[in-house]
């Protein structure tokens, strides 16, 4: 967000490439999240971080109020926090079966 609010100090030639760079970083985080098998909470955090990078890329590419981005990211944080809490509960209940290598039947 620091880059979004200080776009005036970034050279014009660099601003042209930043949305693509931020989008690419988000894409790499999604690839890593979907290939992560041993740590489900890390996969969730990577997907959440992807949303932040994409929101930053869109904010450089489009003209809109930053409050719209905050509304979007508040939903990401709320859903991610809930997911993290659920994953922690699942890890405490099923210590031996807490990875993404197999389907363990955790449907209640």
């Amino acid at each position: 967000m620091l880059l979004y609010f200080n776009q005036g100090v970034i050279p014009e030639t660099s601003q042209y490439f930043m949305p693509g760079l931020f989008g690419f970083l988000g894409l790499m985080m999604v690839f890593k999240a979907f290939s992560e098998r041993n740590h489900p909470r890390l996969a969730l955090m990577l997907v959440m971080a992807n949303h932040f990078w994409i929101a930053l890329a869109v904010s450089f590419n489009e003209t809109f109020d930053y409050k719209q981005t905050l509304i979007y990211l508040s939903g990401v944080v709320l859903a991610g926090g809930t997911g993290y809490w659920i994953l922690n509960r699942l890890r405490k209940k099923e210590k031996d079966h807490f990875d993404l290598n197999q389907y363990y039947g955790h449907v209640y």
Side-chain angles (χ1 to χ4, degrees):
M1 292 307 272
L2 182 66
L3 289 173
Y4 173 72
F5 289 118
N6 295 320
Q7 288 184 18
V9 298
I10 301 171
E12 187 69 32
T13 56
S14 297
Q15 279 188 359
Y16 179 74
F17 295 106
M18 284 193 162
L21 175 67
F22 295 148
F24 180 74
L25 286 172
L27 179 66
M28 290 297 108
M29 287 188 175
V30 167
F31 286 160
K32 174 63 177 158
F34 284 119
S35 66
E36 182 61 45
R37 293 289 177 200
N38 294 325
H39 306 287
R41 292 181 300 172
L42 174 63
L44 176 67
M45 291 294 118
L46 287 171
V47 170
M48 284 180 57
N50 166 56
H51 285 281
F52 282 89
W53 283 112
I54 296 301
L56 186 60
V58 169
S59 70
F60 268 85
N61 213 12
E62 295 291 328
T63 55
F64 57 88
D65 192 22
Y66 76 94
K67 291 178 184 177
Q68 295 171 342
T69 305
L70 290 178
I71 292 170
Y72 168 69
L73 291 178
S74 68
V76 171
V77 169
L78 181 65
T82 304
Y84 195 84
W85 176 72
I86 290 170
L87 285 175
N88 271 339
R89 283 191 62 206
L90 184 61
R91 193 187 87 188
K92 289 178 184 176
K93 283 185 173 183
E94 302 282 342
K95 292 182 182 178
D96 296 334
H97 305 292
F98 187 70
D99 59 19
L100 298 173
N101 289 324
Q102 295 180 2
Y103 173 69
Y104 294 112
H106 295 296
V107 178
Y108 300 100

